[in-house]
Structures are given as structure tokens and as C-alpha cells.
Amino acid sequence: MPKYSLIIPIYNEEETIAEMYRRVSSVMDGLDGTSELILINDGSKDRSLVMLRELHNNDERVCYLSLARNFGHQVAVTAGLNFARGEAVIVLDADLQDPPELIPEMIELWQQDYQVVYAQRTKRLQESWFKRSTAFMFYRLLKLLADVDIPADTGDYCLMDRKVVDILNSMPERNRYIRGLRAWIGFRQTFVRFERDPRYAGQVKYTFSKSFSLALNSLVSFSRIPLRFSTYLGLFSAALSLFMAILVLYWRIHEAKSPVTGFATIMIAIFFLGSVQLIGIGILGEYIGRIYEEIKGRPLYTIAEVSKFPKENQK
Ligand code: UDP
Ligand code: MG
């Protein structure tokens, strides 16, 4: 069995694969034990899969699996974790935004008996203003709402001990916000800091809508405060309407001509209450939708092709 497993999800990364392999394999050469590199093709539409086959043929440490369609980053990583056999498992991105040269430092901490070593970004180089500011706000909001302490500004780049990976693999939930689950599991966790490099080549694969749904997933999976928020909103509007009722009655009794006479007041009240209700239903819907997802119990992903793993062993 290899001592280290490196997991890299690949989605349309034909421009980055060669350079990624060059840098990652040179890091692997320097490690103090055997290692395997597991590449997960997440339904790429370009030449990525062909390139993975090539890498596998030329280097026996490289294995790959190819999902039957695009399942998304978190699921691709999960698939990799299911197949990884190392005592320590390292997850990183294909685009070299997570510098692989950080791995020896993470391994050193692992050897000092930390079971999770995650990489925390101190700076994001050359990412758009919009992405940086929304990410900044999102991580702060998550910190405020989530019921486990999910470290801010950390992505999925991390090293996990076998024990943690086994627990992660045994968790049945389908909404896999891996950073959150990793924090939830506990054990001794620490971090290394790094500056996030710009993408080596190609376009960012996380579209705004993918990032948004990841953000929403994480909030709903790790917090029930949004549900409570709709209760508070309801209470607030109830208090407001009581106040309005008293005001209107007072005017009706004490003033000959009420100032609240018209159409505008009624419309505003209707719109306000309507939106309060819709927001409430929406929040409820987010949670119910996820219950529905979980209850269907479909497999998390389907696999179209798996390379030979050195000494075949699959879960
Ligand atoms: N990725 C994936 N499936 C997707 C989207 C992205 O496997 O549906 C992979 C992608 O190939 C890369 C990693 O996830 O290795 C991170 O994606 P990207 O760099 O585009 O996003 P970032 O995290 O930089 O915003
Ligand atoms: Mg990236």
C-alpha cells in the first residue's frame, strides 16, 4: 500500500495537466515513502481523459477514475477519497493554485501527530475583485452561522490522516461540503499558510452558479439559523402589523380624517407580507429539497472507467 495518496479532480484541464503532473510528480519523488496519484476525471469534455490514460501508462504511481458525467468538484474529490489507500491523503486542485510544494510541510505536521493539516490562503493572486470579495463575505457569514468552526479562507487543499478519511467515507450525506465535514470530524487539526497562486492555465471551472450553490449548500448543511431567521422575520412582521393596527385604530377614533387612507398603504402591506411569506417558504424549501436529495439514496456518482490501481483494491 502506498504511504501517501494525492487526489486531484480534473474538469476540462487539458491545458494544465502536463505542468501539474511535472510539479506534482517532482514533489512525489522527494517524499519519504511510496505514493499514488489519483486523478478523477469529472466528466471533462476536452482531451483530459486521454491525457490521464497516457500518464497512467507512463507512470505506475498514477491511477485515474473517470466519472460518467460532470458531478462537481466536491463529488469528484469524494470519489477520489473512496479510492485512496494511503496512510495520509492529500487533496489539491489541478490548476496549481494550490502549490504542491507545500506538501512536505504538511507531511511534517502530520508526522507531529496532526490528523488534518489544511492550507489557509493569506492572499489570492490575480483572482477577480468580485470573487475575492464574495468569498471574503461568504466565509465570514459561514463563521457566524455554522455550528462547527469551519476555518475561514481555506479551500479543499489539505492533508488528512487515514482515520479521518475513513470517517469521511463512512458519512452518507450527499451534500458534501468537504471543508465543513472535515472540520466537523475533529481530531487534531492545524494549518499551513500560503499565497494562492493564479490559475496556471485555462478558465476557472467554478462558475458563479456552482460557487453560489456550494455556498448555499454549506450554509444549509451546517446551520439551522436560516430556519430560525424566518421565524424571527415572521415575529418581526407580526409586531409591525400589531403596531400598524393600533396606529390605524387610533387614527380612526381620534382624527376626523385618517392620514392612512389609500391604496399605497394597502399595497405596501400586501407586498411586505407576501415577501415575508415567500422568504420563509424559500428557506423551508432549501431544507426540504435537501431532505429529498438525501432520501432518494442514489449513488453519489457513477463511474465510466477506472484504471488499474497498483494491487487492485476498491471500495
Ligand atoms: N473541478 C471539478 N469539477 C467541476 C469544477 C471544477 O472537478 O465541476 C475541479 C477543477 O478541475 C480544479 C478544481 O476542481 O481541479 C478547482 O476548480 P477551479 O480551479 O476552476 O476553481 P477555484 O477553486 O479556483 O475557484
Ligand atoms: Mg482554481
Side-chain angles (χ1 to χ4, degrees):
M1 291 293 131
K3 186 164 179 191
Y4 303 109
S5 301
L6 279 70
I7 296 179
I8 304 186
I10 308 274
Y11 179 53
N12 295 343
E13 299 281 8
E14 61 182 6
E15 289 155 291
T16 67
I17 287 176
E19 175 68 8
M20 176 276 286
Y21 172 71
R22 193 186 64 75
R23 277 178 61 185
V24 169
S25 63
S26 87
V27 169
M28 286 166 77
D29 292 338
L31 296 181
D32 65 335
T34 51
S35 53
E36 64 180 359
L37 173 60
I38 303 178
L39 302 169
I40 303 98
N41 173 36
D42 185 18
S44 300
K45 293 173 185 70
D46 62 0
R47 293 186 53 250
S48 297
L49 180 58
V50 181
M51 297 172 80
L52 299 192
R53 289 193 193 115
E54 252 163 50
L55 289 180
H56 170 68
N57 289 336
N58 297 331
D59 184 343
E60 62 164 9
R61 296 172 302 178
V62 180
C63 8
Y64 68 87
L65 43 136
S66 182
L67 305 185
R69 64 170 172 85
N70 178 244
F71 280 92
H73 178 216
Q74 302 289 305
V75 174
V77 170
T78 304
L81 290 170
N82 291 157
F83 279 79
R85 300 159 304 160
E87 287 162 44
V89 179
I90 297 126
V91 177
L92 64 160
D93 282 358
D95 59 359
L96 296 169
Q97 283 197 289
D98 304 334
E101 291 74 20
L102 216 60
I103 293 174
E105 201 182 320
M106 295 167 119
I107 288 178
E108 220 166 273
L109 286 163
W110 174 62
Q111 282 160 346
Q112 291 167 24
D113 203 27
Y114 284 99
Q115 283 75 40
V116 174
V117 185
Y118 54 85
Q120 193 162 39
R121 307 182 273 253
T122 52
K123 231 189 224 170
R124 290 162 169 257
L125 301 170
Q126 278 178 29
E127 283 187 302
S128 70
W129 172 85
F130 182 73
K131 179 142 187 167
R132 275 180 293 140
S133 52
T134 46
F136 182 86
M137 286 187 304
F138 161 70
Y139 284 116
R140 269 65 202 173
L141 183 67
L142 186 64
K143 194 143 200 100
L144 201 68
L145 298 186
D147 35 38
V148 282
D149 192 13
I150 302 174
D153 302 325
T154 57
D156 291 315
Y157 189 17
C158 70
L159 177 150
M160 288 180 278
D161 186 81
R162 171 56 33 203
K163 275 183 261 178
V164 174
V165 175
D166 284 342
I167 295 170
L168 205 52
N169 284 339
S170 73
M171 292 170 110
E173 58 193 281
R174 311 178 44 79
N175 270 300
R176 300 192 82 82
Y177 184 62
I178 293 175
R179 292 153 230 191
L181 298 176
R182 187 178 75 201
W184 182 90
I185 290 173
F187 289 94
R188 291 187 72 209
Q189 308 210 353
T190 188
F191 59 89
V192 290
R193 287 183 193 279
F194 76 111
E195 288 192 359
R196 193 168 206 222
D197 291 329
R199 186 171 240 286
Y200 172 72
Q203 291 293 316
V204 59
K205 304 301 179 303
Y206 255 96
T207 54
F208 177 73
S209 76
K210 273 185 184 171
S211 297
F212 184 75
S213 85
L214 184 69
L216 205 60
N217 272 342
S218 62
L219 289 174
V220 175
S221 306
F222 286 94
S223 176
R224 277 175 309 181
I225 294 175
L227 277 176
R228 208 161 300 150
F229 170 77
S230 63
T231 312
Y232 294 149
L233 198 62
L235 287 175
F236 170 74
S237 78
L240 205 65
S241 58
L242 193 66
F243 173 74
M244 278 300 287
I246 292 170
L247 203 64
V248 169
L249 280 179
Y250 176 85
W251 280 328
R252 188 81 187 84
I253 296 163
H254 291 277
E255 312 216 356
K257 201 164 171 284
S258 164
V260 225
T261 45
F263 181 69
T265 325
I266 293 172
M267 288 319 279
I268 290 170
I270 289 176
F271 282 136
F272 176 73
L273 289 176
S275 27
V276 166
Q277 288 172 24
L278 287 177
I279 291 170
I281 294 171
I283 293 174
L284 212 59
E286 288 296 332
Y287 284 84
I288 293 175
R290 277 164 184 75
I291 297 173
Y292 181 54
E293 282 292 303
E294 299 288 340
I295 214 120
K296 279 190 284 194
R298 287 187 190 152
L300 208 53
Y301 51 85
T302 50
I303 298 179
E305 183 180 330
V306 187
S307 77
K308 229 173 72 215
F309 278 55
K311 285 221 203 92
E312 208 86 32
N313 168 7
Q314 294 169 13
K315 267 185 209 145

PDB file of all heavy atoms in Angstrom, residues 8-13 40 42 70-73 76 92-95 97 127 131 196 199 203-206 210, ligand 1:
ATOM      1  N   ILE A   8      -6.508  14.521  -7.139  1.00  0.00           N
ATOM      2  CA  ILE A   8      -6.693  15.748  -7.924  1.00  0.00           C
ATOM      3  C   ILE A   8      -7.894  15.595  -8.854  1.00  0.00           C
ATOM      4  O   ILE A   8      -7.905  14.729  -9.723  1.00  0.00           O
ATOM      5  CB  ILE A   8      -5.434  16.065  -8.749  1.00  0.00           C
ATOM      6  CG1 ILE A   8      -4.213  16.171  -7.822  1.00  0.00           C
ATOM      7  CG2 ILE A   8      -5.637  17.344  -9.551  1.00  0.00           C
ATOM      8  CD1 ILE A   8      -2.954  16.625  -8.497  1.00  0.00           C
ATOM      9  N   PRO A   9      -8.937  16.410  -8.650  1.00  0.00           N
ATOM     10  CA  PRO A   9     -10.087  16.374  -9.561  1.00  0.00           C
ATOM     11  C   PRO A   9      -9.771  17.148 -10.834  1.00  0.00           C
ATOM     12  O   PRO A   9      -9.108  18.180 -10.786  1.00  0.00           O
ATOM     13  CB  PRO A   9     -11.187  17.079  -8.768  1.00  0.00           C
ATOM     14  CG  PRO A   9     -10.463  18.016  -7.869  1.00  0.00           C
ATOM     15  CD  PRO A   9      -9.129  17.400  -7.578  1.00  0.00           C
ATOM     16  N   ILE A  10     -10.249  16.630 -11.925  1.00  0.00           N
ATOM     17  CA  ILE A  10      -9.924  17.204 -13.231  1.00  0.00           C
ATOM     18  C   ILE A  10     -11.200  17.478 -14.006  1.00  0.00           C
ATOM     19  O   ILE A  10     -11.962  16.553 -14.282  1.00  0.00           O
ATOM     20  CB  ILE A  10      -9.101  16.194 -14.070  1.00  0.00           C
ATOM     21  CG1 ILE A  10      -7.891  15.673 -13.301  1.00  0.00           C
ATOM     22  CG2 ILE A  10      -8.743  16.771 -15.429  1.00  0.00           C
ATOM     23  CD1 ILE A  10      -6.680  16.514 -13.387  1.00  0.00           C
ATOM     24  N   TYR A  11     -11.423  18.715 -14.351  1.00  0.00           N
ATOM     25  CA  TYR A  11     -12.567  19.026 -15.196  1.00  0.00           C
ATOM     26  C   TYR A  11     -12.106  19.971 -16.305  1.00  0.00           C
ATOM     27  O   TYR A  11     -11.818  21.132 -16.036  1.00  0.00           O
ATOM     28  CB  TYR A  11     -13.687  19.648 -14.365  1.00  0.00           C
ATOM     29  CG  TYR A  11     -14.900  20.031 -15.164  1.00  0.00           C
ATOM     30  CD1 TYR A  11     -15.522  19.098 -15.983  1.00  0.00           C
ATOM     31  CD2 TYR A  11     -15.433  21.303 -15.093  1.00  0.00           C
ATOM     32  CE1 TYR A  11     -16.632  19.442 -16.717  1.00  0.00           C
ATOM     33  CE2 TYR A  11     -16.546  21.658 -15.820  1.00  0.00           C
ATOM     34  CZ  TYR A  11     -17.148  20.719 -16.633  1.00  0.00           C
ATOM     35  OH  TYR A  11     -18.257  21.062 -17.364  1.00  0.00           O
ATOM     36  N   ASN A  12     -12.011  19.455 -17.487  1.00  0.00           N
ATOM     37  CA  ASN A  12     -11.532  20.242 -18.635  1.00  0.00           C
ATOM     38  C   ASN A  12     -10.208  20.943 -18.343  1.00  0.00           C
ATOM     39  O   ASN A  12     -10.091  22.155 -18.468  1.00  0.00           O
ATOM     40  CB  ASN A  12     -12.567  21.293 -19.049  1.00  0.00           C
ATOM     41  CG  ASN A  12     -13.847  20.653 -19.556  1.00  0.00           C
ATOM     42  OD1 ASN A  12     -13.858  19.469 -19.890  1.00  0.00           O
ATOM     43  ND2 ASN A  12     -14.896  21.423 -19.608  1.00  0.00           N
ATOM     44  N   GLU A  13      -9.226  20.186 -17.959  1.00  0.00           N
ATOM     45  CA  GLU A  13      -7.948  20.794 -17.575  1.00  0.00           C
ATOM     46  C   GLU A  13      -6.823  20.428 -18.543  1.00  0.00           C
ATOM     47  O   GLU A  13      -5.666  20.356 -18.156  1.00  0.00           O
ATOM     48  CB  GLU A  13      -7.559  20.355 -16.153  1.00  0.00           C
ATOM     49  CG  GLU A  13      -8.536  20.742 -15.063  1.00  0.00           C
ATOM     50  CD  GLU A  13      -8.403  22.199 -14.626  1.00  0.00           C
ATOM     51  OE1 GLU A  13      -7.651  22.956 -15.268  1.00  0.00           O
ATOM     52  OE2 GLU A  13      -9.076  22.566 -13.658  1.00  0.00           O
ATOM     53  N   ILE A  40      -9.088  12.238 -10.878  1.00  0.00           N
ATOM     54  CA  ILE A  40     -10.507  11.953 -11.105  1.00  0.00           C
ATOM     55  C   ILE A  40     -10.994  12.819 -12.235  1.00  0.00           C
ATOM     56  O   ILE A  40     -11.052  14.041 -12.112  1.00  0.00           O
ATOM     57  CB  ILE A  40     -11.356  12.232  -9.854  1.00  0.00           C
ATOM     58  CG1 ILE A  40     -10.849  11.422  -8.678  1.00  0.00           C
ATOM     59  CG2 ILE A  40     -12.815  11.904 -10.102  1.00  0.00           C
ATOM     60  CD1 ILE A  40      -9.961  12.195  -7.772  1.00  0.00           C
ATOM     61  N   ASP A  42     -13.752  14.407 -13.960  1.00  0.00           N
ATOM     62  CA  ASP A  42     -15.135  14.737 -13.605  1.00  0.00           C
ATOM     63  C   ASP A  42     -15.927  15.079 -14.864  1.00  0.00           C
ATOM     64  O   ASP A  42     -16.403  16.190 -15.025  1.00  0.00           O
ATOM     65  CB  ASP A  42     -15.114  15.910 -12.614  1.00  0.00           C
ATOM     66  CG  ASP A  42     -16.498  16.246 -12.088  1.00  0.00           C
ATOM     67  OD1 ASP A  42     -17.397  15.400 -12.203  1.00  0.00           O
ATOM     68  OD2 ASP A  42     -16.669  17.355 -11.564  1.00  0.00           O
ATOM     69  N   ASN A  70     -20.275  15.029 -15.454  1.00  0.00           N
ATOM     70  CA  ASN A  70     -19.772  16.032 -14.528  1.00  0.00           C
ATOM     71  C   ASN A  70     -20.623  16.030 -13.244  1.00  0.00           C
ATOM     72  O   ASN A  70     -21.815  16.339 -13.273  1.00  0.00           O
ATOM     73  CB  ASN A  70     -19.812  17.407 -15.192  1.00  0.00           C
ATOM     74  CG  ASN A  70     -19.333  18.503 -14.257  1.00  0.00           C
ATOM     75  OD1 ASN A  70     -20.090  19.389 -13.904  1.00  0.00           O
ATOM     76  ND2 ASN A  70     -18.093  18.429 -13.835  1.00  0.00           N
ATOM     77  N   PHE A  71     -20.009  15.617 -12.154  1.00  0.00           N
ATOM     78  CA  PHE A  71     -20.737  15.574 -10.886  1.00  0.00           C
ATOM     79  C   PHE A  71     -20.370  16.727  -9.972  1.00  0.00           C
ATOM     80  O   PHE A  71     -20.928  16.870  -8.901  1.00  0.00           O
ATOM     81  CB  PHE A  71     -20.461  14.255 -10.158  1.00  0.00           C
ATOM     82  CG  PHE A  71     -21.267  13.096 -10.680  1.00  0.00           C
ATOM     83  CD1 PHE A  71     -20.768  12.279 -11.664  1.00  0.00           C
ATOM     84  CD2 PHE A  71     -22.532  12.843 -10.175  1.00  0.00           C
ATOM     85  CE1 PHE A  71     -21.507  11.208 -12.149  1.00  0.00           C
ATOM     86  CE2 PHE A  71     -23.279  11.780 -10.652  1.00  0.00           C
ATOM     87  CZ  PHE A  71     -22.762  10.960 -11.637  1.00  0.00           C
ATOM     88  N   GLY A  72     -19.388  17.484 -10.340  1.00  0.00           N
ATOM     89  CA  GLY A  72     -18.969  18.611  -9.497  1.00  0.00           C
ATOM     90  C   GLY A  72     -17.755  18.263  -8.661  1.00  0.00           C
ATOM     91  O   GLY A  72     -17.495  17.100  -8.356  1.00  0.00           O
ATOM     92  N   HIS A  73     -17.053  19.301  -8.304  1.00  0.00           N
ATOM     93  CA  HIS A  73     -15.781  19.188  -7.614  1.00  0.00           C
ATOM     94  C   HIS A  73     -15.851  18.360  -6.330  1.00  0.00           C
ATOM     95  O   HIS A  73     -15.069  17.431  -6.122  1.00  0.00           O
ATOM     96  CB  HIS A  73     -15.311  20.623  -7.329  1.00  0.00           C
ATOM     97  CG  HIS A  73     -14.035  20.714  -6.586  1.00  0.00           C
ATOM     98  ND1 HIS A  73     -13.803  21.696  -5.663  1.00  0.00           N
ATOM     99  CD2 HIS A  73     -12.928  19.951  -6.594  1.00  0.00           C
ATOM    100  CE1 HIS A  73     -12.589  21.535  -5.161  1.00  0.00           C
ATOM    101  NE2 HIS A  73     -12.040  20.486  -5.707  1.00  0.00           N
ATOM    102  N   ALA A  76     -16.331  14.748  -7.023  1.00  0.00           N
ATOM    103  CA  ALA A  76     -15.121  14.171  -7.620  1.00  0.00           C
ATOM    104  C   ALA A  76     -14.085  13.881  -6.536  1.00  0.00           C
ATOM    105  O   ALA A  76     -13.468  12.807  -6.519  1.00  0.00           O
ATOM    106  CB  ALA A  76     -14.557  15.119  -8.671  1.00  0.00           C
ATOM    107  N   LEU A  92      -5.758  18.217  -3.673  1.00  0.00           N
ATOM    108  CA  LEU A  92      -5.422  19.525  -4.226  1.00  0.00           C
ATOM    109  C   LEU A  92      -6.062  19.742  -5.586  1.00  0.00           C
ATOM    110  O   LEU A  92      -6.593  18.806  -6.183  1.00  0.00           O
ATOM    111  CB  LEU A  92      -3.907  19.752  -4.277  1.00  0.00           C
ATOM    112  CG  LEU A  92      -2.992  18.908  -5.150  1.00  0.00           C
ATOM    113  CD1 LEU A  92      -1.698  19.653  -5.368  1.00  0.00           C
ATOM    114  CD2 LEU A  92      -2.670  17.588  -4.481  1.00  0.00           C
ATOM    115  N   ASP A  93      -6.011  20.992  -6.049  1.00  0.00           N
ATOM    116  CA  ASP A  93      -6.613  21.344  -7.340  1.00  0.00           C
ATOM    117  C   ASP A  93      -5.644  21.083  -8.483  1.00  0.00           C
ATOM    118  O   ASP A  93      -4.433  21.093  -8.296  1.00  0.00           O
ATOM    119  CB  ASP A  93      -6.978  22.830  -7.364  1.00  0.00           C
ATOM    120  CG  ASP A  93      -8.251  23.115  -6.599  1.00  0.00           C
ATOM    121  OD1 ASP A  93      -8.862  22.150  -6.097  1.00  0.00           O
ATOM    122  OD2 ASP A  93      -8.621  24.292  -6.500  1.00  0.00           O
ATOM    123  N   ALA A  94      -6.211  20.918  -9.650  1.00  0.00           N
ATOM    124  CA  ALA A  94      -5.386  20.617 -10.815  1.00  0.00           C
ATOM    125  C   ALA A  94      -4.693  21.846 -11.386  1.00  0.00           C
ATOM    126  O   ALA A  94      -3.714  21.737 -12.099  1.00  0.00           O
ATOM    127  CB  ALA A  94      -6.250  19.999 -11.907  1.00  0.00           C
ATOM    128  N   ASP A  95      -5.221  23.012 -11.071  1.00  0.00           N
ATOM    129  CA  ASP A  95      -4.746  24.199 -11.785  1.00  0.00           C
ATOM    130  C   ASP A  95      -3.530  24.846 -11.139  1.00  0.00           C
ATOM    131  O   ASP A  95      -3.149  25.944 -11.513  1.00  0.00           O
ATOM    132  CB  ASP A  95      -5.880  25.221 -11.902  1.00  0.00           C
ATOM    133  CG  ASP A  95      -6.407  25.633 -10.543  1.00  0.00           C
ATOM    134  OD1 ASP A  95      -5.901  25.117  -9.533  1.00  0.00           O
ATOM    135  OD2 ASP A  95      -7.323  26.461 -10.496  1.00  0.00           O
ATOM    136  N   GLN A  97      -3.220  26.190  -8.391  1.00  0.00           N
ATOM    137  CA  GLN A  97      -3.466  27.309  -7.479  1.00  0.00           C
ATOM    138  C   GLN A  97      -3.076  26.897  -6.061  1.00  0.00           C
ATOM    139  O   GLN A  97      -2.796  27.732  -5.220  1.00  0.00           O
ATOM    140  CB  GLN A  97      -4.938  27.709  -7.506  1.00  0.00           C
ATOM    141  CG  GLN A  97      -5.294  28.507  -8.723  1.00  0.00           C
ATOM    142  CD  GLN A  97      -6.602  29.219  -8.550  1.00  0.00           C
ATOM    143  OE1 GLN A  97      -7.655  28.601  -8.537  1.00  0.00           O
ATOM    144  NE2 GLN A  97      -6.542  30.530  -8.403  1.00  0.00           N
ATOM    145  N   GLU A 127      -7.084  36.890  -8.669  1.00  0.00           N
ATOM    146  CA  GLU A 127      -8.467  36.459  -8.826  1.00  0.00           C
ATOM    147  C   GLU A 127      -9.308  37.728  -8.857  1.00  0.00           C
ATOM    148  O   GLU A 127      -8.912  38.760  -8.332  1.00  0.00           O
ATOM    149  CB  GLU A 127      -8.876  35.522  -7.692  1.00  0.00           C
ATOM    150  CG  GLU A 127      -8.310  34.131  -7.911  1.00  0.00           C
ATOM    151  CD  GLU A 127      -8.805  33.099  -6.921  1.00  0.00           C
ATOM    152  OE1 GLU A 127      -8.628  33.284  -5.718  1.00  0.00           O
ATOM    153  OE2 GLU A 127      -9.353  32.098  -7.369  1.00  0.00           O
ATOM    154  N   LYS A 131     -14.774  37.837  -7.107  1.00  0.00           N
ATOM    155  CA  LYS A 131     -14.595  36.532  -6.456  1.00  0.00           C
ATOM    156  C   LYS A 131     -13.986  36.704  -5.061  1.00  0.00           C
ATOM    157  O   LYS A 131     -14.412  36.069  -4.105  1.00  0.00           O
ATOM    158  CB  LYS A 131     -13.694  35.644  -7.316  1.00  0.00           C
ATOM    159  CG  LYS A 131     -13.448  34.283  -6.692  1.00  0.00           C
ATOM    160  CD  LYS A 131     -13.419  33.190  -7.713  1.00  0.00           C
ATOM    161  CE  LYS A 131     -13.348  31.841  -7.020  1.00  0.00           C
ATOM    162  NZ  LYS A 131     -13.604  30.740  -7.908  1.00  0.00           N
ATOM    163  N   ARG A 196      -2.253  32.091  -2.528  1.00  0.00           N
ATOM    164  CA  ARG A 196      -2.868  31.321  -3.603  1.00  0.00           C
ATOM    165  C   ARG A 196      -2.449  31.870  -4.950  1.00  0.00           C
ATOM    166  O   ARG A 196      -2.730  33.008  -5.289  1.00  0.00           O
ATOM    167  CB  ARG A 196      -4.389  31.367  -3.476  1.00  0.00           C
ATOM    168  CG  ARG A 196      -5.043  30.349  -4.367  1.00  0.00           C
ATOM    169  CD  ARG A 196      -6.495  30.167  -4.044  1.00  0.00           C
ATOM    170  NE  ARG A 196      -6.914  28.838  -4.448  1.00  0.00           N
ATOM    171  CZ  ARG A 196      -8.065  28.593  -5.061  1.00  0.00           C
ATOM    172  NH1 ARG A 196      -8.902  29.553  -5.316  1.00  0.00           N
ATOM    173  NH2 ARG A 196      -8.372  27.363  -5.392  1.00  0.00           N
ATOM    174  N   ARG A 199      -4.330  30.823 -11.411  1.00  0.00           N
ATOM    175  CA  ARG A 199      -4.524  29.599 -12.170  1.00  0.00           C
ATOM    176  C   ARG A 199      -3.414  29.457 -13.213  1.00  0.00           C
ATOM    177  O   ARG A 199      -3.079  30.416 -13.886  1.00  0.00           O
ATOM    178  CB  ARG A 199      -5.892  29.709 -12.830  1.00  0.00           C
ATOM    179  CG  ARG A 199      -6.358  28.505 -13.548  1.00  0.00           C
ATOM    180  CD  ARG A 199      -7.814  28.694 -13.941  1.00  0.00           C
ATOM    181  NE  ARG A 199      -8.630  27.647 -13.318  1.00  0.00           N
ATOM    182  CZ  ARG A 199      -8.619  26.399 -13.743  1.00  0.00           C
ATOM    183  NH1 ARG A 199      -7.866  26.039 -14.736  1.00  0.00           N
ATOM    184  NH2 ARG A 199      -9.371  25.494 -13.142  1.00  0.00           N
ATOM    185  N   GLN A 203      -9.532  28.391 -18.048  1.00  0.00           N
ATOM    186  CA  GLN A 203     -10.531  29.202 -17.366  1.00  0.00           C
ATOM    187  C   GLN A 203     -10.905  28.578 -16.036  1.00  0.00           C
ATOM    188  O   GLN A 203     -10.777  27.379 -15.858  1.00  0.00           O
ATOM    189  CB  GLN A 203     -11.797  29.277 -18.229  1.00  0.00           C
ATOM    190  CG  GLN A 203     -11.630  30.084 -19.504  1.00  0.00           C
ATOM    191  CD  GLN A 203     -11.411  31.549 -19.199  1.00  0.00           C
ATOM    192  OE1 GLN A 203     -12.107  32.112 -18.354  1.00  0.00           O
ATOM    193  NE2 GLN A 203     -10.430  32.167 -19.849  1.00  0.00           N
ATOM    194  N   VAL A 204     -11.388  29.400 -15.135  1.00  0.00           N
ATOM    195  CA  VAL A 204     -11.890  28.867 -13.869  1.00  0.00           C
ATOM    196  C   VAL A 204     -13.117  27.988 -14.152  1.00  0.00           C
ATOM    197  O   VAL A 204     -13.948  28.305 -15.003  1.00  0.00           O
ATOM    198  CB  VAL A 204     -12.197  30.018 -12.883  1.00  0.00           C
ATOM    199  CG1 VAL A 204     -13.207  30.971 -13.453  1.00  0.00           C
ATOM    200  CG2 VAL A 204     -12.635  29.494 -11.544  1.00  0.00           C
ATOM    201  N   LYS A 205     -13.161  26.817 -13.502  1.00  0.00           N
ATOM    202  CA  LYS A 205     -14.228  25.860 -13.785  1.00  0.00           C
ATOM    203  C   LYS A 205     -15.413  26.032 -12.838  1.00  0.00           C
ATOM    204  O   LYS A 205     -16.474  25.480 -13.058  1.00  0.00           O
ATOM    205  CB  LYS A 205     -13.697  24.429 -13.670  1.00  0.00           C
ATOM    206  CG  LYS A 205     -12.486  24.151 -14.567  1.00  0.00           C
ATOM    207  CD  LYS A 205     -12.809  24.389 -16.023  1.00  0.00           C
ATOM    208  CE  LYS A 205     -11.648  24.159 -16.975  1.00  0.00           C
ATOM    209  NZ  LYS A 205     -10.464  24.925 -16.735  1.00  0.00           N
ATOM    210  N   TYR A 206     -15.155  26.751 -11.765  1.00  0.00           N
ATOM    211  CA  TYR A 206     -16.248  27.051 -10.848  1.00  0.00           C
ATOM    212  C   TYR A 206     -16.982  28.271 -11.345  1.00  0.00           C
ATOM    213  O   TYR A 206     -16.541  29.388 -11.154  1.00  0.00           O
ATOM    214  CB  TYR A 206     -15.698  27.335  -9.443  1.00  0.00           C
ATOM    215  CG  TYR A 206     -15.914  26.197  -8.494  1.00  0.00           C
ATOM    216  CD1 TYR A 206     -14.920  25.266  -8.263  1.00  0.00           C
ATOM    217  CD2 TYR A 206     -17.129  26.046  -7.839  1.00  0.00           C
ATOM    218  CE1 TYR A 206     -15.119  24.207  -7.399  1.00  0.00           C
ATOM    219  CE2 TYR A 206     -17.343  24.999  -6.978  1.00  0.00           C
ATOM    220  CZ  TYR A 206     -16.327  24.077  -6.763  1.00  0.00           C
ATOM    221  OH  TYR A 206     -16.534  23.044  -5.912  1.00  0.00           O
ATOM    222  N   LYS A 210     -22.088  27.614  -9.739  1.00  0.00           N
ATOM    223  CA  LYS A 210     -21.537  26.500  -8.958  1.00  0.00           C
ATOM    224  C   LYS A 210     -21.043  26.983  -7.597  1.00  0.00           C
ATOM    225  O   LYS A 210     -21.269  26.335  -6.577  1.00  0.00           O
ATOM    226  CB  LYS A 210     -20.372  25.844  -9.708  1.00  0.00           C
ATOM    227  CG  LYS A 210     -20.825  24.755 -10.670  1.00  0.00           C
ATOM    228  CD  LYS A 210     -19.631  24.053 -11.307  1.00  0.00           C
ATOM    229  CE  LYS A 210     -20.092  23.041 -12.346  1.00  0.00           C
ATOM    230  NZ  LYS A 210     -19.000  22.494 -13.135  1.00  0.00           N
TER     231      LYS A 210
HETATM  232  N1  UDP B   1     -13.443  20.835 -10.876  1.00  0.00           N
HETATM  233  C1  UDP B   1     -14.117  19.618 -10.989  1.00  0.00           C
HETATM  234  N2  UDP B   1     -15.436  19.625 -11.347  1.00  0.00           N
HETATM  235  C2  UDP B   1     -16.129  20.793 -11.573  1.00  0.00           C
HETATM  236  C3  UDP B   1     -15.451  22.032 -11.412  1.00  0.00           C
HETATM  237  C4  UDP B   1     -14.113  22.005 -11.054  1.00  0.00           C
HETATM  238  O1  UDP B   1     -13.539  18.558 -10.803  1.00  0.00           O
HETATM  239  O2  UDP B   1     -17.307  20.716 -11.893  1.00  0.00           O
HETATM  240  C5  UDP B   1     -12.014  20.832 -10.493  1.00  0.00           C
HETATM  241  C6  UDP B   1     -11.103  21.615 -11.416  1.00  0.00           C
HETATM  242  O3  UDP B   1     -10.630  20.840 -12.484  1.00  0.00           O
HETATM  243  C7  UDP B   1      -9.994  22.015 -10.473  1.00  0.00           C
HETATM  244  C8  UDP B   1     -10.709  22.191  -9.148  1.00  0.00           C
HETATM  245  O4  UDP B   1     -11.919  21.465  -9.254  1.00  0.00           O
HETATM  246  O5  UDP B   1      -9.032  20.981 -10.322  1.00  0.00           O
HETATM  247  C9  UDP B   1     -10.953  23.625  -8.773  1.00  0.00           C
HETATM  248  O6  UDP B   1     -11.606  24.276  -9.812  1.00  0.00           O
HETATM  249  P1  UDP B   1     -11.264  25.773 -10.230  1.00  0.00           P
HETATM  250  O7  UDP B   1      -9.795  25.970 -10.190  1.00  0.00           O
HETATM  251  O8  UDP B   1     -11.927  26.056 -11.513  1.00  0.00           O
HETATM  252  O9  UDP B   1     -11.988  26.624  -9.111  1.00  0.00           O
HETATM  253  P2  UDP B   1     -11.388  27.566  -7.978  1.00  0.00           P
HETATM  254  O10 UDP B   1     -11.359  26.712  -6.759  1.00  0.00           O
HETATM  255  O11 UDP B   1     -10.042  28.019  -8.399  1.00  0.00           O
HETATM  256  O12 UDP B   1     -12.380  28.648  -7.906  1.00  0.00           O
END
